[in-house]
Amino acid sequence: MTPNGTAIRAIRTVRRLSLRDLARLTGLDRGHLSRLERGLAGASEVTLQRIASTLGVPISDLLRNDDDPAVEAVPGREVPPPGSPEGELFHYTPEEAAKWLPWSASWIRRKARVREFPHNRGGGQITLTGRDIREISAMTAIRPAPAPPPD
């Protein structure tokens, strides 16, 4: 989860809360909140949930949009879709894989480190092939509930 400090500050301002008020209501350090809003610090999921709850918004409103070009790993790099023949064995960075998976790049890294799903670790870098992405998508697919048997 990558916090969007600008969004946090904007929502806080609209709610007419000072940084001191938000710190008091969330029980978080004012300095940390300030660094978070300026993009100088990260935040755990628990911290973001506390802030979202206090501000009365869903946690997704406090996260950076993964479609943001700033998260592109290598600008100008041609990235084929995982389902294409070129994407089959292409090595995607977590930022690139996040376009096709339901997690941010940081969550993909965490899940790979704890071996929740297949990945490659060449040269110390976590990458996923098109096959890996398709396999992960199949593992996480939400399937409809079976229809009840007819009476």
Side-chain angles (χ1 to χ4, degrees):
M1 302 182 114
T2 307
N4 182 340
T6 305
I8 294 170
R9 178 179 288 157
I11 295 167
R12 176 180 61 79
T13 303
V14 167
R15 300 278 191 266
R16 296 182 183 191
L17 290 171
S18 68
L19 201 52
R20 181 172 292 176
D21 294 335
L22 184 60
R24 183 178 42 79
L25 293 169
T26 60
L28 300 170
D29 179 66
R30 184 175 57 168
H32 179 68
L33 288 171
S34 174
R35 287 187 298 279
L36 181 65
E37 286 185 353
R38 290 180 287 140
L40 301 175
S44 69
E45 185 174 358
V46 172
T47 298
L48 289 172
Q49 285 175 337
R50 287 167 75 179
I51 295 168
S53 175
T54 300
L55 294 175
V57 297
I59 196 168
S60 60
D61 287 359
L62 306 182
L63 300 176
R64 188 176 73 203
N65 183 356
D66 284 335
D67 293 333
D68 184 348
V71 299
E72 187 177 16
V74 181
R77 177 171 133 140
E78 292 285 329
V79 180
S84 70
E86 301 83 27
E88 184 77 11
L89 298 176
F90 186 87
H91 285 258
Y92 299 88
T93 65
E95 289 81 8
E96 293 164 343
K99 295 176 186 174
W100 290 284
L101 294 173
W103 304 291
S104 68
S106 61
W107 272 106
I108 291 171
R109 281 189 196 87
R110 283 184 197 150
K111 288 179 173 291
R113 282 188 204 109
V114 296
R115 303 183 191 281
E116 282 190 31
F117 54 64
H119 67 283
N120 304 289
R121 197 177 200 106
Q125 299 295 318
I126 293 173
T127 61
L128 294 93
T129 63
R131 283 184 191 163
D132 295 336
I133 292 171
R134 287 197 330 273
E135 184 177 334
I136 294 164
S137 293
M139 288 186 326
T140 61
I142 298 173
R143 291 168 180 78
D151 289 336

